[in-house]
Amino acid sequence: MSDNAPTIFSRIIAREIPATIVYEDEQALAFKDIHPAAPFHVLVIPKRPLASIEAMSPEDAALFGHLVWVCKKVANDAGHSAYRVVANAGAEVGQTVFHHHFHVLAGRSFKWPPG
Ligand code: AMP
């Protein structure tokens, strides 16, 4: 895996800028999205600065499995057993911060397919 340039999320990991952190362990951090798109909107990120799923290597599979588990945990801990997990990989599909993040959204109804 190749790590990528620091982003604003690296500064959140380093506690250089504030965030409402809801979960942390050695590999992962989860914090509230600053512009929530649902009543519950948390971002789950790896502490390593991996730009997106597109930057994954096979050896990152366990890390990503762990991140998915963290998505479930933060939703469950907030009382949600139904939630949507989204990852934008690439500017063309809406990625704006190039440090991989899973959006975990809950607390309202959702349409499919997403826009
Ligand atoms: P994406 O468009 O998929 O790259 O999502 C980036 C997300 O990061 C957006 O939902 C933003 O609202 C969120 N975001 C950007 N800066 C911050 C920040 N400082 N703290 C929390 N969330 C942020």
Side-chain angles (χ1 to χ4, degrees):
M1 181 214 75
S2 60
D3 286 340
N4 298 90
T7 68
I8 194 164
F9 289 175
S10 296
R11 300 189 66 203
I12 289 174
I13 293 165
R15 305 301 204 272
E16 292 171 0
I17 61 171
T20 304
I21 292 169
V22 298
Y23 177 83
E24 180 171 21
D25 63 29
E26 284 189 3
Q27 300 182 91
L29 189 72
F31 53 92
K32 291 186 179 177
D33 195 294
I34 201 165
H35 297 302
F40 179 85
H41 188 174
V42 163
L43 303 176
V44 175
I45 70 172
K47 286 189 170 175
R48 279 185 8 219
L50 181 64
S52 76
I53 291 175
E54 183 59 18
M56 271 182 81
S57 298
E59 55 266 30
D60 300 319
L63 170 62
F64 274 75
H66 179 68
L67 295 176
V68 172
W69 178 83
V70 174
C71 292
K72 167 187 157 53
K73 177 173 174 48
V74 297
N76 288 175
D77 287 353
H80 298 289
S81 57
Y83 41 88
R84 181 169 287 182
V85 177
V86 179
N88 296 316
E92 304 95 308
V93 300
Q95 188 175 8
T96 59
V97 178
F98 292 89
H99 182 133
H100 167 73
H101 46 284
F102 285 120
H103 297 258
V104 188
L105 302 131
R108 65 169 171 83
S109 60
F110 292 89
K111 291 184 167 47
W112 193 264

